Amino acid sequence: MIVGKAKKRRDGKSSFLTLLAYTTTRDDHHHDDVIDPETQKARLSQSKEAIFERLMGYIHRHGDADKSLITERFPDGRHQVLFDQVLCETNTLSVATAAVEMQAVALKNTRCKDPVYHFFLSWPETDSPTVEQIFESARHSLKALGMSDHQYVTAIHRDTDHLHCHVAANRIHPVTYKVADDAYDISKLHKASREMELKYGWTRTNGCHVINENNRIVRSCSKEKSMPDDAKKLEYYSDQESLYGYAVRECRSEISEILKADSIYWERIHAVLIRAGLELKKKGAGLAIYHRAHPEQTPLKASRLHPDLTLSHLEPRAGPFESSPKVDTYDKDRLVFGYVIEKSYDRRLHARDHSARHERRLARAEAREELKLRYQHDKKEAKCPSFDAKNRFRTLSMTFRFRRAHVCVAVRDPLMRKLAWHVLAFEREKAMAQLRLQLKQERAHWHRAPENRRLSYRLWVEQQALKGDKAAISQLRGWAYQAKRDERTAYLSDTVIECAVSDDIAPVELKGYTHHIHRDGAILYKKEGVTQMIDRGETIEMARPFENEGDNMVAGLRLAEQKSGEKRVFSGPREYVEKACSLVRDLNEMGETSLTLTDSLQQKRVCEMRPQDKPAPISFDSPNLTP
């Protein structure tokens, strides 16, 4: 059982309302929604008034009691409720009013700066805890924190790869109004999770406390430090590889082997970092790792890479610190004797693509950068028109100026002239106010029109994906990856063509098929409204590959032809693989294409397959497909 605690705001303005709205309601877009150019879904308002109205609306909306259905009550005052399809447990009067109840209690203690407490519990895929076990784990964790009698709401979420629950609690006791001490809370939560793992036999996880070989809970002795928060945010929210992640992937294992040796030399440590395009330097009283090509970038603390990579550990064994040796420039036409940079960190590259080829990683990163520049350009160009406001105000002002001049000539009595001027001044202000209101209405009408509405970056990318933009489809898949939702487009079939990592292509026009793009970047190819194929970039899934003389298998190979060809492997039942191999042979014999499989066994099967060994032939003259 994995324990996590949300990072608190530094300004002390954490809100029970926003926290409970996040944990109990599901207002976000679903990743398996089809992108429709006619309808553009805007995100709901996040103001406290709007959030509270939505929470109350789930109970009172049109009298629909199913939005908040109490499933079970307990003698100690707590109850379980199905709230907006999210199963919750709370000891407050209602989930919708829990935020108000907690805030009312928190106001009784004026010394506590931040009474909001939020943590979550997560279970690996190998565990399948019941609902009662999940809620029991949450209550046990609250008891370990000394908040068993405090107000809380626990919500079970199943929208990620791992089943987890969020616990929102009030640190102020509802009777004594004393604040619960949150010192060493992470250690307490980890110990409580180990106790639940022993009780129910769940998968044992690491943390501040671990279970030893004698089934006893002891303090962990791990020296490796966790990923810095900035690096974690960069990789999770932006899908960009951090300097920490790059250094760990390229250097940690080799540095660990060097530090385990009996004799340690600074030169060997520098050699490992040089090959990765990094440099070890002194910074203050310690060591830091810099990016050689961009030394102005924020460096990485050396102990983050390895806990023993510090001056206090290394100087007694390796001597005084030695600077990095000179780096030679690689030249294929001459023999290089010095240290050469073999790789380099590029912040534009994406964390999920590290196993892809470097050329395609660069191409994908450049396409994403160009996509952002195009959005910025379109955003600048999409300006609200002026509606000729300047000339209209000027014309109105000139009209009253002429009327004032006419009064000067037509009215000779000074008192009547002055009175007429006052009347004109009043009429001028009235006309100016009417013109301002008219312009405001015209601008509001212009903004209400869907074609004039300024799109957010996500909505703009969805519109570009509908136009067949490969970079936009890749961006959608990146967002789906970072969210790690289980609600992605459901898997279609186990008959699959496996392709290379980040092998993205634009939608392909296939006769008889229509394509639709989901919010997770999956391209669905349908025939008569029924999904026949799904292109996820790294895989092509085909349903019913043997029906209609194998139309879907032929179409799947047409899609695979458009890929890079770095990886092309059939995966699925043996019958499917055999027939797909025979189809590749027939395609190659017809001379239409040279389709090469990357799996040696499958390629050998294609080459050795004799005519009598081949399964029943599949027609290539199907009227539903174009070559």
Coordinates of all heavy atoms in Angstrom, one line a residue, residues 399-451:
T399 N -21.1 65.5 -34.0 CA -22.5 65.8 -34.2 C -23.0 66.8 -33.1 O -23.6 67.9 -33.4 CB -23.4 64.6 -34.1 OG1 -23.0 63.7 -35.1 CG2 -24.9 64.9 -34.2
F400 N -22.6 66.6 -31.9 CA -23.0 67.5 -30.8 C -22.2 68.8 -30.9 O -22.7 69.9 -30.4 CB -22.9 66.8 -29.4 CG -24.0 65.9 -29.1 CD1 -23.9 64.5 -29.3 CD2 -25.2 66.4 -28.6 CE1 -24.9 63.7 -29.0 CE2 -26.2 65.6 -28.2 CZ -26.1 64.2 -28.5
R401 N -21.0 68.8 -31.4 CA -20.3 70.0 -31.6 C -20.9 70.9 -32.6 O -21.0 72.1 -32.4 CB -18.8 69.7 -32.0 CG -17.9 70.9 -32.1 CD -16.5 70.5 -32.4 NE -15.9 69.6 -31.5 CZ -14.8 69.0 -31.6 NH1 -14.0 69.2 -32.7 NH2 -14.3 68.2 -30.6
F402 N -21.4 70.3 -33.7 CA -22.2 71.1 -34.7 C -23.5 71.7 -34.1 O -23.8 72.8 -34.4 CB -22.4 70.3 -35.9 CG -21.2 70.0 -36.8 CD1 -21.0 68.8 -37.3 CD2 -20.3 71.0 -37.1 CE1 -19.8 68.5 -38.0 CE2 -19.2 70.8 -37.8 CZ -18.9 69.5 -38.3
R403 N -24.1 70.9 -33.3 CA -25.4 71.3 -32.7 C -25.1 72.5 -31.7 O -25.9 73.4 -31.6 CB -26.1 70.2 -32.0 CG -26.6 69.1 -32.9 CD -27.3 68.0 -32.1 NE -28.4 68.5 -31.4 CZ -29.2 67.7 -30.6 NH1 -28.9 66.4 -30.5 NH2 -30.2 68.2 -29.9
R404 N -24.0 72.4 -31.0 CA -23.6 73.5 -30.1 C -23.3 74.8 -30.9 O -23.7 75.9 -30.5 CB -22.4 73.1 -29.3 CG -22.0 74.2 -28.3 CD -20.7 73.7 -27.6 NE -20.2 74.8 -26.7 CZ -20.5 75.0 -25.5 NH1 -21.3 74.2 -24.9 NH2 -19.9 76.0 -24.8
A405 N -22.6 74.6 -32.0 CA -22.3 75.8 -32.9 C -23.6 76.4 -33.5 O -23.8 77.6 -33.6 CB -21.4 75.4 -34.0
H406 N -24.6 75.5 -33.8 CA -25.9 76.0 -34.3 C -26.6 76.8 -33.3 O -27.3 77.8 -33.6 CB -26.7 74.8 -34.8 CG -28.1 75.2 -35.3 ND1 -28.3 75.9 -36.5 CD2 -29.3 75.0 -34.7 CE1 -29.6 76.1 -36.6 NE2 -30.2 75.6 -35.5
V407 N -26.5 76.3 -32.0 CA -27.2 77.1 -30.9 C -26.6 78.5 -30.7 O -27.3 79.4 -30.5 CB -27.1 76.2 -29.6 CG1 -27.5 77.1 -28.4 CG2 -28.0 75.0 -29.7
C408 N -25.3 78.6 -30.9 CA -24.6 79.9 -30.8 C -25.1 80.9 -31.8 O -25.2 82.1 -31.5 CB -23.1 79.7 -31.0 SG -22.3 78.8 -29.6
V409 N -25.5 80.4 -33.0 CA -26.0 81.3 -34.0 C -27.5 81.5 -33.9 O -28.0 82.6 -34.1 CB -25.7 80.7 -35.4 CG1 -26.2 81.6 -36.5 CG2 -24.2 80.6 -35.6
A410 N -28.3 80.4 -33.6 CA -29.7 80.5 -33.7 C -30.3 81.1 -32.4 O -31.4 81.8 -32.5 CB -30.3 79.1 -33.9
V411 N -29.7 81.0 -31.3 CA -30.3 81.5 -30.0 C -29.5 82.7 -29.6 O -28.3 82.6 -29.3 CB -30.3 80.4 -28.9 CG1 -30.9 80.9 -27.6 CG2 -31.0 79.1 -29.3
R412 N -30.2 83.8 -29.6 CA -29.5 85.1 -29.3 C -29.5 85.4 -27.8 O -28.7 86.2 -27.3 CB -30.1 86.3 -30.1 CG -30.3 86.0 -31.5 CD -28.9 85.6 -32.2 NE -27.9 86.7 -32.0 CZ -26.7 86.5 -32.3 NH1 -26.2 85.4 -32.8 NH2 -25.8 87.5 -32.1
D413 N -30.5 84.9 -27.1 CA -30.7 85.3 -25.7 C -29.6 84.5 -24.9 O -29.5 83.2 -25.0 CB -32.0 84.9 -25.2 CG -32.3 85.3 -23.7 OD1 -31.3 85.9 -23.1 OD2 -33.4 85.1 -23.2
P414 N -28.7 85.2 -24.1 CA -27.6 84.5 -23.4 C -28.1 83.4 -22.4 O -27.5 82.3 -22.3 CB -26.9 85.6 -22.7 CG -27.2 86.8 -23.4 CD -28.6 86.7 -23.9
L415 N -29.2 83.7 -21.7 CA -29.7 82.8 -20.7 C -30.3 81.5 -21.4 O -30.0 80.4 -21.0 CB -30.8 83.4 -19.8 CG -30.3 84.5 -18.9 CD1 -31.4 85.1 -18.1 CD2 -29.2 84.0 -18.0
M416 N -31.0 81.7 -22.5 CA -31.6 80.6 -23.2 C -30.5 79.8 -23.9 O -30.5 78.5 -24.0 CB -32.6 81.1 -24.3 CG -33.8 81.7 -23.7 SD -34.8 80.6 -22.7 CE -35.3 79.4 -23.9
R417 N -29.5 80.5 -24.4 CA -28.3 79.8 -25.0 C -27.6 78.9 -24.0 O -27.3 77.8 -24.3 CB -27.4 80.8 -25.6 CG -26.2 80.2 -26.4 CD -25.2 81.2 -26.8 NE -25.8 82.4 -27.4 CZ -25.4 83.6 -27.2 NH1 -24.5 83.9 -26.4 NH2 -26.0 84.6 -27.8
K418 N -27.4 79.4 -22.8 CA -26.8 78.6 -21.8 C -27.6 77.4 -21.4 O -27.1 76.3 -21.2 CB -26.5 79.5 -20.6 CG -25.6 78.9 -19.5 CD -25.3 79.9 -18.4 CE -24.3 79.2 -17.4 NZ -24.0 80.2 -16.3
L419 N -28.9 77.6 -21.3 CA -29.8 76.5 -21.0 C -29.8 75.5 -22.1 O -29.7 74.3 -21.8 CB -31.2 77.1 -20.8 CG -32.3 76.0 -20.5 CD1 -32.0 75.3 -19.2 CD2 -33.7 76.7 -20.4
A420 N -29.7 75.9 -23.3 CA -29.6 75.0 -24.5 C -28.3 74.2 -24.4 O -28.3 73.0 -24.8 CB -29.8 75.7 -25.8
W421 N -27.3 74.9 -24.0 CA -26.0 74.1 -23.9 C -26.0 73.0 -22.9 O -25.5 71.9 -23.1 CB -24.9 75.1 -23.6 CG -24.4 76.0 -24.8 CD1 -24.7 75.8 -26.1 CD2 -23.6 77.1 -24.7 NE1 -24.2 76.7 -26.9 CE2 -23.5 77.6 -26.1 CE3 -23.0 77.9 -23.7 CZ2 -22.8 78.8 -26.4 CZ3 -22.3 79.0 -24.0 CH2 -22.2 79.4 -25.4
H422 N -26.7 73.3 -21.7 CA -26.8 72.3 -20.7 C -27.6 71.1 -21.2 O -27.3 70.0 -20.9 CB -27.5 72.9 -19.5 CG -26.5 73.8 -18.7 ND1 -25.3 73.4 -18.2 CD2 -26.6 75.1 -18.3 CE1 -24.7 74.4 -17.5 NE2 -25.5 75.5 -17.6
V423 N -28.7 71.4 -21.9 CA -29.5 70.4 -22.5 C -28.7 69.5 -23.5 O -28.8 68.3 -23.4 CB -30.8 70.9 -23.2 CG1 -31.5 69.8 -23.9 CG2 -31.7 71.6 -22.2
L424 N -27.9 70.2 -24.3 CA -27.0 69.4 -25.3 C -26.0 68.6 -24.5 O -25.7 67.5 -24.9 CB -26.4 70.4 -26.2 CG -27.2 71.0 -27.3 CD1 -26.4 72.0 -28.2 CD2 -27.7 69.9 -28.2
A425 N -25.4 69.1 -23.4 CA -24.4 68.4 -22.7 C -25.1 67.1 -22.1 O -24.5 66.0 -22.1 CB -23.8 69.2 -21.6
F426 N -26.3 67.3 -21.6 CA -27.0 66.1 -21.0 C -27.3 65.1 -22.1 O -27.1 63.9 -21.9 CB -28.3 66.6 -20.4 CG -29.2 65.4 -19.9 CD1 -28.9 64.7 -18.8 CD2 -30.3 65.1 -20.7 CE1 -29.7 63.7 -18.4 CE2 -31.1 64.0 -20.3 CZ -30.8 63.3 -19.1
E427 N -27.8 65.6 -23.3 CA -28.1 64.6 -24.4 C -26.8 64.0 -24.9 O -26.8 62.8 -25.3 CB -28.8 65.4 -25.5 CG -30.2 65.9 -25.1 CD -30.8 66.6 -26.3 OE1 -30.1 66.8 -27.3 OE2 -32.0 66.9 -26.2
R428 N -25.7 64.7 -24.9 CA -24.4 64.1 -25.3 C -24.0 63.0 -24.4 O -23.6 61.9 -24.9 CB -23.3 65.2 -25.4 CG -22.0 64.7 -25.9 CD -21.0 65.8 -25.8 NE -19.7 65.4 -26.3 CZ -18.7 64.8 -25.6 NH1 -19.0 64.5 -24.3 NH2 -17.6 64.4 -26.1
E429 N -24.0 63.2 -23.1 CA -23.6 62.2 -22.2 C -24.6 60.9 -22.3 O -24.1 59.8 -22.2 CB -23.7 62.7 -20.7 CG -22.6 63.7 -20.4 CD -21.2 63.1 -20.6 OE1 -21.0 62.0 -20.3 OE2 -20.3 63.9 -21.1
K430 N -25.9 61.2 -22.5 CA -26.8 60.1 -22.7 C -26.5 59.3 -23.9 O -26.5 58.1 -23.9 CB -28.2 60.7 -22.7 CG -29.3 59.6 -22.9 CD -30.7 60.3 -22.9 CE -31.8 59.2 -23.1 NZ -33.1 59.8 -23.2
A431 N -26.2 60.0 -25.0 CA -25.9 59.3 -26.3 C -24.6 58.5 -26.2 O -24.5 57.4 -26.7 CB -25.8 60.3 -27.4
M432 N -23.6 59.1 -25.5 CA -22.3 58.4 -25.3 C -22.5 57.1 -24.4 O -21.9 56.1 -24.7 CB -21.3 59.3 -24.6 CG -20.8 60.5 -25.4 SD -19.7 59.8 -26.7 CE -19.1 61.4 -27.4
A433 N -23.4 57.2 -23.4 CA -23.6 56.0 -22.6 C -24.4 55.0 -23.4 O -24.1 53.8 -23.3 CB -24.5 56.4 -21.3
Q434 N -25.3 55.4 -24.2 CA -26.0 54.4 -25.1 C -25.0 53.7 -26.1 O -25.2 52.5 -26.3 CB -27.1 55.1 -25.8 CG -28.3 55.5 -24.9 CD -29.4 56.3 -25.7 OE1 -29.2 56.7 -26.8 NE2 -30.5 56.4 -25.1
L435 N -24.1 54.5 -26.6 CA -23.1 53.9 -27.5 C -22.2 52.9 -26.8 O -21.9 51.9 -27.4 CB -22.3 55.1 -28.2 CG -21.3 54.6 -29.2 CD1 -21.9 53.8 -30.3 CD2 -20.5 55.8 -29.8
R436 N -21.8 53.3 -25.6 CA -21.0 52.3 -24.8 C -21.7 51.0 -24.6 O -21.1 49.9 -24.7 CB -20.5 53.0 -23.5 CG -19.4 54.0 -23.7 CD -18.8 54.3 -22.4 NE -19.7 55.2 -21.6 CZ -19.7 56.5 -21.6 NH1 -18.9 57.2 -22.4 NH2 -20.5 57.2 -20.9
L437 N -23.0 51.1 -24.2 CA -23.8 49.9 -24.0 C -24.0 49.1 -25.2 O -23.9 47.9 -25.2 CB -25.2 50.3 -23.4 CG -25.2 50.8 -21.9 CD1 -26.6 51.2 -21.5 CD2 -24.6 49.7 -21.0
Q438 N -24.2 49.8 -26.4 CA -24.3 49.1 -27.6 C -23.1 48.4 -28.0 O -23.1 47.3 -28.5 CB -24.7 50.2 -28.7 CG -25.0 49.5 -30.1 CD -25.4 50.5 -31.1 OE1 -25.6 51.7 -30.8 NE2 -25.5 50.1 -32.4
L439 N -21.9 49.0 -27.8 CA -20.6 48.4 -28.1 C -20.4 47.2 -27.2 O -19.9 46.1 -27.7 CB -19.5 49.4 -28.0 CG -19.4 50.5 -29.1 CD1 -18.3 51.5 -28.7 CD2 -19.0 49.8 -30.4
K440 N -20.8 47.3 -26.0 CA -20.6 46.2 -25.1 C -21.5 45.0 -25.5 O -21.0 43.8 -25.5 CB -21.0 46.7 -23.7 CG -20.8 45.6 -22.6 CD -21.2 46.2 -21.2 CE -20.9 45.1 -20.1 NZ -21.3 45.6 -18.8
Q441 N -22.7 45.3 -25.9 CA -23.6 44.2 -26.4 C -23.0 43.6 -27.7 O -23.1 42.3 -27.8 CB -25.0 44.7 -26.6 CG -25.7 45.2 -25.4 CD -27.1 45.8 -25.7 OE1 -27.4 46.0 -26.8 NE2 -27.8 46.1 -24.6
E442 N -22.5 44.4 -28.6 CA -21.9 43.8 -29.8 C -20.7 43.0 -29.5 O -20.5 41.9 -30.1 CB -21.5 45.0 -30.8 CG -22.8 45.7 -31.3 CD -22.3 46.9 -32.2 OE1 -21.1 47.1 -32.3 OE2 -23.2 47.7 -32.6
R443 N -19.9 43.4 -28.6 CA -18.7 42.6 -28.2 C -19.1 41.3 -27.6 O -18.5 40.2 -27.9 CB -17.8 43.4 -27.3 CG -17.1 44.6 -28.0 CD -16.0 45.1 -27.1 NE -15.3 46.3 -27.7 CZ -15.5 47.5 -27.4 NH1 -16.5 47.8 -26.5 NH2 -14.9 48.5 -28.1
A444 N -20.1 41.4 -26.7 CA -20.6 40.2 -26.0 C -21.2 39.2 -27.0 O -21.0 38.0 -26.9 CB -21.6 40.5 -24.9
H445 N -21.9 39.7 -28.0 CA -22.5 38.8 -29.0 C -21.4 38.2 -29.9 O -21.5 37.0 -30.2 CB -23.4 39.7 -29.9 CG -24.1 38.9 -31.0 ND1 -25.1 37.9 -30.8 CD2 -23.8 38.9 -32.4 CE1 -25.4 37.4 -32.0 NE2 -24.7 37.9 -32.9
W446 N -20.4 38.9 -30.1 CA -19.2 38.4 -30.9 C -18.5 37.3 -30.1 O -18.2 36.3 -30.7 CB -18.3 39.5 -31.3 CG -17.2 39.1 -32.2 CD1 -17.2 39.1 -33.5 CD2 -15.9 38.6 -31.8 NE1 -16.0 38.7 -34.0 CE2 -15.1 38.4 -33.0 CE3 -15.2 38.4 -30.6 CZ2 -13.8 37.9 -33.0 CZ3 -14.0 37.9 -30.6 CH2 -13.3 37.6 -31.8
H447 N -18.3 37.5 -28.8 CA -17.6 36.5 -28.0 C -18.5 35.3 -27.8 O -17.9 34.2 -27.7 CB -17.3 37.1 -26.7 CG -16.1 38.0 -26.7 ND1 -14.8 37.5 -26.9 CD2 -15.9 39.3 -26.5 CE1 -13.9 38.5 -26.9 NE2 -14.6 39.6 -26.6
R448 N -19.8 35.4 -27.8 CA -20.7 34.2 -27.7 C -20.7 33.3 -28.9 O -21.0 32.1 -28.7 CB -22.1 34.7 -27.3 CG -22.3 35.1 -25.9 CD -23.8 35.2 -25.6 NE -24.5 36.2 -26.4 CZ -24.7 37.4 -26.1 NH1 -24.2 37.9 -24.9 NH2 -25.3 38.3 -26.9
A449 N -20.3 33.8 -30.0 CA -20.3 33.0 -31.2 C -19.2 32.0 -31.1 O -18.1 32.3 -30.8 CB -20.1 33.9 -32.5
P450 N -19.5 30.7 -31.3 CA -18.4 29.6 -31.1 C -17.2 29.8 -32.0 O -16.1 29.5 -31.6 CB -19.2 28.3 -31.5 CG -20.6 28.6 -31.3 CD -20.8 30.1 -31.7
E451 N -17.4 30.3 -33.3 CA -16.3 30.5 -34.2 C -15.4 31.6 -33.7 O -14.2 31.7 -34.2 CB -16.8 30.8 -35.6 CG -17.6 32.1 -35.7 CD -19.1 31.9 -35.5 OE1 -19.5 30.8 -34.9 OE2 -19.9 32.8 -35.7

